[in-house]
Amino acid sequence: MYPKILIMAETLEQIICYHCGDECKVERITSEGKHFCCIGCKLVFEILNENNLCGYYDLNKSPGIKQTVLTGKRFNFLDDDSIKEKLISFRNKSEIHITFHIPSIHCSSCIWLLENFKSANNGVLQSRVNFLKKEIALVIDESKTSLRTIVDLLTSVGYEPAINLDSIQHKEKQKVNKGRIIRIGIAGFCFGNIMMLSFPEYFSSGKIIDAGLKNFFSYMNLLISLPVFFYSASEFFIQSYRSIKHKATSIDIPIAIGIAVIFLRSAYEILTHTGAGFLDSGSGLVFFMLIGRWFQDYTFDSLAFDRDYKSYFPIAVSTIKNGIEKEVLVNDLKVNDRIIIRNNEIIPVDAMLLKGQASIDYHFVTGESIPLPAQPGDTIFAGGRQTGSIIELQVTKEVSQSNLTQLWDRTISTNQKSRFEFIVQSISKWFIIVTMLIACISAAYWWNTDIHKAINAFTAVLVIACPCALALSAPFTYGNIIRILGKHKIYLRNYHVIEKLADIDSVVFDKTGTLTESAHARIHYIGSQLNETDNKLLYSLLRQSSHPLSKILTKQIGLNSFYDVANFTEETGQGVSAVVNGKRIKAGSMKYANCLLSTNQIIEGTKVFISFDDQFLGYFVFSNSYRKGILQVALSLIRKKYSITVLTGDNENEKEQLNSIFHNKATLKFNQNPNDKLDYIRQAHQKHSKVLMLGDGLNDAGALLQSDVGISITESANSFTPASDAIMHASELEKLPQLLQYAKSAVTIIIISFIISLLYNFVGLSFAVTGTLSPVIAAILMPISTISLVLFTVAASTIKGRKLQFK
C-alpha cells in the first residue's frame, strides 16, 4: 500500500489544473480528458465547455481563477425589486443595463471570456469590459433570465461582482494602503537594527577578533531580515509570480530577482562562515523601494484627474417652479425637482414624466433609433433624448449623472489606441529581457574579480532600469491638459482627441450658431402684421425647439404665457411645426412654410419663414453678428496653412462678408443640408485630409461624427452632444488656434519625456554595471526618476497652457 500511495503523491505533484494552473496535490478530478484541482474549477470548465467558450483557454495557459466557493443563496437579495432598481442604470421594457466591478479581472483571457459572456446565457444581450477599472457593463433581457442568475453565473466562473449596496448612494472614499504602511514600518525597523548590528563589521573592515561575536551578529542579522524578505518584500514576489504565471512582463520581476539573489547569497555566506552577506543592503533596498512606491502612489493620487461628469460637461437643465423657468446645474438637482426638456435635448437624470407627449430616443444608450412613447407616470432614464414637444419631468434619482460620462465614452469605439501606447508596449516587451541580460553579463564580468561588485552590479541593474516613467508620460501629460481645458469650458471626450487634434490639417465650420453669435443678432420682421394672439401661437411653437434660431426668436417675443402644443415635429434643416390652439403653425425654410415669393423679393440674410394653416404670413430676417475674435481665428488658421471650409444651409447672401473674414482663403459652400455636410467630410477623407468639424451639434451631428475630430459649439450650459468628440463653449471659440497648437505641444512634451526617460536608464545602467552603485541608492533613484519625469510632463504642459492663455 505505501509504495502505491507514494507513487500517486509523486504523480499528483506533476499534474497541473487545466483551469487555474495550480498543482493537483490534494485531489485530482478529471472531465473531458482534462485534470482539475477541485470541484469548483471543474464546474467552471464545464460551464464554459457547454457554452462553447473554451477559446478562453487558448489566449493564456491556465488563465482561470481558483473557484472553491459556490454561490448558494448569497445573492438572494437580487430578487428584491427595490434593491435591484438601485443597481441598474437603465430599463427599457424587459431590457436592463447594469455595471459591476469585478476585482478578479487580470488578463486578456478575462476580457475575452467576459466580452463573450452572452454565449453563456441568451439573456445577456451585450457585455463590455473596462479593463482599467475592472468593470463589466451588461445589457440583460429579463424576459429570458434574471439579474440574480447572471450574478450567480459570473461568480461560478470565478468573476464574482463586488456588490456594495452602501456605495450605491455614497461614493466610496479612496482607502489608504495600510498593508504597505505596515510593510514599510517592519522593513524600516529591521533595516535600522541590521545596520546597528553591522557596525562592528563596518568599523573593523571585516576583521573582528572574536569569531563567536562575529557569528552571533551575523545570525542575528539573518534572523531579523526574515520579516523583511518574507513579508515586506512579498508584494514584489507575488506580483512577479502572477506575471510569470500568465506569461506577462512586469517591472516587479527583475526587482524580485534582485532581492532574492541578495538574500540567498547573504544566507549562504553567513551559514558557511564565508562572509557577512549583504543583508543591510537588501533590507535597505526593500525599505526604500516600498517608500518610493508609497510616495509614487501619493504623487499620482494628488495629480489624478477626476473623470466624472463635473470634469467635462457644463450640463445644466431648465427647471420650473411657481411658473418660472430657470437653468440649474445638474449637480444641484434634487429629488422631486421639476425639469423641462425640449426637442433634441438629452435627459440628464432619471425622472418621471409629468406632462407632455414624450417620444424618447435611447439611441445613444441602446443603439436602437426608434423613439419610444411614454405616458405620464412612466420613468425616463438618463441618456434618452426627447424627439417631440416640451415635456415636464420630476427628478427621481440624483446619482444618474455618471451615466452621461458612460454615454459619452461609449459613443466612440474604445478599441482605439494611442500612438504612444504602441511605442511603450513595443519597448516594454523587450525591456525586461534586455535588463536581465545586462544584469547577468555584469555579474559574470565581476564574479571572478570581486563577488561583492558582482552582486552590486547585478542587483543595481535590475532595480534602476525602469520603464515606468516611459509608460506614465503620456497619460499624465494628456490628463493634465484635459483638466486645464476643462477649466476653460473646453471638454474633451478622452486623450485620443488630443492626438487627433495634433494631426488636423483641415478645419470645417458650420455658420449659424458656430461662426455667428445668436445673443447679439438683430431681427427684422417682414410680412403680415402679427397680433398678440399670433405672437402667442408662434411663441408656443418655438419654445419647443432647442435650435439656435428658435431660441433667438423665443427670447425676442418674450412672452410668459403659451398654449398647449400637439403633434410637434422638427425636420432637421427644414423647420418646426405643431398644432397650437387648433391651428397648424410652421416656422422654417422658405419651402417648408409655403412661401411663394421670388428670391429677388426677399431681403438678404438668415431667415425664418412662418405660416399659419399653410397660409404664408411673413419672415424674420436675422442680421448675423459674428463671434468675437473670429477674424483673429481665421487669420491664425490661414497663417498656419490650415485648409478652411464653411458649410452653411443659408444662401449666398453673406458670401462677401465671409470672404472678407477669411481673406478669400476659405472654401464656401451654401445651401448645404445635413447630408451634404456629411458627404463633404467623406470626400475630404478620400483625399487623406484630417478634418476638424465645428458645428452646433444638432443639424451637424452626422458631420461631427464623420470627422476626425468633431467639436460641438454651445452657448448654453445644457447642450450635450454625445456625437461629438469635444464640447466647446462659444465664448472660447477664439482660442481654437491655441487649442490646435496646445495639442501639438502635448505630443512634443511626451517625445521629450521619452528621450529623458531613455537617457536616465542609459546613464543609470552605465553606473550600475560598474558595481559601484549600491542597490540601496538605486532603490532611491528609481522612484525619484519616475516622479520627477511625471512632474516634468505636468509642469511643462501647465506652463505651455499658460503661454497659450490656458491658465
Side-chain angles (χ1 to χ4, degrees), residues 183-439:
R183 289 185 178 91
I184 290 173
I186 291 174
F189 173 80
C190 295
F191 172 52
N193 282 279
I194 291 173
M195 288 284 290
M196 181 183 67
L197 293 173
S198 299
F199 281 159
E201 183 76 21
Y202 299 150
F203 296 145
S204 63
S205 300
K207 299 177 182 178
I208 299 179
I209 298 176
D210 190 339
L213 191 59
K214 176 181 178 180
N215 290 336
F216 172 76
F217 287 144
S218 297
Y219 287 135
M220 284 296 296
N221 282 342
L222 182 59
L223 181 64
I224 295 173
S225 70
L226 294 178
V228 178
F229 292 98
F230 288 98
Y231 176 70
S232 295
S234 60
E235 70 174 71
F236 302 107
F237 295 117
I238 292 171
Q239 293 297 332
S240 299
Y241 169 73
R242 289 175 178 170
S243 299
I244 294 172
K245 178 182 177 181
H246 297 290
K247 298 181 179 179
T249 57
S250 169
I251 190 60
D252 288 315
I253 294 175
I255 295 173
I257 292 173
I259 293 171
V261 167
I262 288 178
F263 177 74
L264 293 174
R265 178 65 194 185
S266 300
Y268 171 79
E269 289 189 2
I270 291 172
L271 295 175
T272 59
H273 305 294
T274 56
F278 311 89
L279 294 175
D280 50 349
S281 296
S283 57
L285 170 63
V286 173
F287 177 60
F288 287 111
M289 282 294 296
L290 289 173
I291 286 181
R293 292 207 169 180
W294 171 81
F295 184 59
Q296 197 167 284
D297 289 345
Y298 178 82
T299 304
F300 295 165
D301 288 342
S302 65
L303 292 174
F305 310 108
D306 189 8
R307 289 189 55 84
D308 67 11
Y309 74 102
K310 289 180 288 186
S311 301
Y312 293 93
F313 308 135
I315 298 297
V317 67
S318 297
T319 61
I320 184 167
K321 188 175 183 180
N322 299 326
I324 300 174
E325 293 185 20
K326 180 183 178 182
E327 282 199 346
V328 174
L329 291 174
V330 173
N331 190 37
D332 295 332
L333 285 177
K334 304 297 182 185
V335 172
N336 296 326
D337 280 355
R338 295 194 173 192
I339 61 175
I340 289 176
I341 301 295
R342 294 176 175 83
N343 182 50
N344 274 329
E345 287 187 346
I346 300 289
I347 299 162
V349 294
D350 292 354
M352 181 178 67
L353 179 63
L354 296 179
K355 297 179 182 178
Q357 299 174 343
S359 180
I360 310 300
D361 177 4
Y362 285 115
H363 174 71
F364 293 120
V365 181
T366 65
E368 178 59 54
S369 58
I370 300 176
L372 299 175
Q375 302 298 324
D378 289 349
T379 297
I380 298 178
F381 292 88
R385 183 177 62 178
Q386 166 66 348
T387 59
S389 57
I390 277 183
I391 56 175
E392 186 175 327
L393 307 166
Q394 183 173 353
V395 177
T396 59
K397 190 186 295 185
E398 298 177 31
V399 295
S400 54
Q401 297 96 332
S402 60
N403 293 336
L404 292 177
T405 304
Q406 296 177 14
L407 174 62
W408 207 25
D409 283 342
R410 66 170 168 255
T411 306
I412 298 296
S413 172
T414 56
N415 294 328
Q416 54 189 337
K417 282 192 176 181
S418 160
R419 72 185 75 170
F420 295 111
E421 287 177 339
F422 284 111
I423 294 174
V424 171
Q425 287 178 2
S426 300
I427 293 176
S428 298
K429 183 177 181 180
W430 296 102
F431 193 92
I432 293 176
I433 296 174
V434 172
T435 300
M436 287 297 302
L437 286 174
I438 294 174

Side-chain angles (χ1 to χ4, degrees), residues 322-618:
N322 299 326
I324 300 174
E325 293 185 20
K326 180 183 178 182
E327 282 199 346
V328 174
L329 291 174
V330 173
N331 190 37
D332 295 332
L333 285 177
K334 304 297 182 185
V335 172
N336 296 326
D337 280 355
R338 295 194 173 192
I339 61 175
I340 289 176
I341 301 295
R342 294 176 175 83
N343 182 50
N344 274 329
E345 287 187 346
I346 300 289
I347 299 162
V349 294
D350 292 354
M352 181 178 67
L353 179 63
L354 296 179
K355 297 179 182 178
Q357 299 174 343
S359 180
I360 310 300
D361 177 4
Y362 285 115
H363 174 71
F364 293 120
V365 181
T366 65
E368 178 59 54
S369 58
I370 300 176
L372 299 175
Q375 302 298 324
D378 289 349
T379 297
I380 298 178
F381 292 88
R385 183 177 62 178
Q386 166 66 348
T387 59
S389 57
I390 277 183
I391 56 175
E392 186 175 327
L393 307 166
Q394 183 173 353
V395 177
T396 59
K397 190 186 295 185
E398 298 177 31
V399 295
S400 54
Q401 297 96 332
S402 60
N403 293 336
L404 292 177
T405 304
Q406 296 177 14
L407 174 62
W408 207 25
D409 283 342
R410 66 170 168 255
T411 306
I412 298 296
S413 172
T414 56
N415 294 328
Q416 54 189 337
K417 282 192 176 181
S418 160
R419 72 185 75 170
F420 295 111
E421 287 177 339
F422 284 111
I423 294 174
V424 171
Q425 287 178 2
S426 300
I427 293 176
S428 298
K429 183 177 181 180
W430 296 102
F431 193 92
I432 293 176
I433 296 174
V434 172
T435 300
M436 287 297 302
L437 286 174
I438 294 174
C440 292
I441 292 171
S442 301
Y445 177 82
W446 292 108
W447 191 265
N448 293 328
T449 57
D450 190 334
I451 193 170
H452 286 254
K453 273 192 174 184
I455 296 293
N456 270 356
F458 181 81
T459 310
V461 168
L462 295 178
V463 171
I464 204 166
C466 179
C468 297
L470 203 64
L472 292 170
S473 298
F476 273 91
T477 302
Y478 290 145
N480 192 45
I481 288 176
I482 287 174
R483 180 183 63 83
I484 291 171
L485 293 176
K487 291 181 177 180
H488 291 265
K489 301 179 182 179
I490 301 173
Y491 307 91
L492 305 186
R493 180 192 297 277
N494 52 43
Y495 64 83
H496 296 289
V497 178
I498 301 176
E499 288 191 355
K500 290 180 180 180
L501 282 171
D503 295 332
I504 292 299
D505 55 31
S506 179
V507 181
V508 177
F509 292 97
D510 171 53
K511 182 175 77 71
T512 305
T514 303
L515 294 177
T516 60
E517 188 174 14
S518 59
H520 298 93
R522 295 185 299 276
I523 305 172
H524 181 55
Y525 175 72
I526 299 173
S528 302
Q529 184 69 32
L530 299 178
N531 58 34
E532 184 176 345
T533 301
D534 294 334
N535 279 326
K536 189 173 181 180
L537 290 169
L538 187 60
Y539 176 80
S540 301
L541 167 68
L542 294 173
R543 71 184 290 270
Q544 312 294 321
S545 172
S546 57
H547 190 279
L549 295 181
S550 297
K551 290 183 176 180
I552 297 172
L553 286 175
T554 301
K555 185 177 180 181
Q556 174 76 11
I557 297 172
L559 297 178
N560 292 323
S561 60
F562 46 84
Y563 295 115
D564 290 334
V565 170
N567 302 325
F568 174 86
T569 59
E570 181 166 357
E571 296 184 28
T572 302
Q574 295 299 315
V576 294
S577 68
V579 175
V580 184
N581 201 29
K583 289 187 176 183
R584 168 64 66 177
I585 313 297
K586 287 186 176 182
S589 67
M590 185 176 179
K591 181 180 179 180
Y592 189 76
N594 302 314
C595 176
L596 300 178
L597 298 174
S598 62
T599 53
N600 58 7
Q601 293 178 288
I602 299 175
I603 296 176
E604 294 183 354
T606 299
K607 296 167 285 294
V608 171
F609 298 84
I610 61 172
S611 67
F612 287 10
D613 286 333
D614 292 328
Q615 181 180 356
F616 173 70
L617 293 183

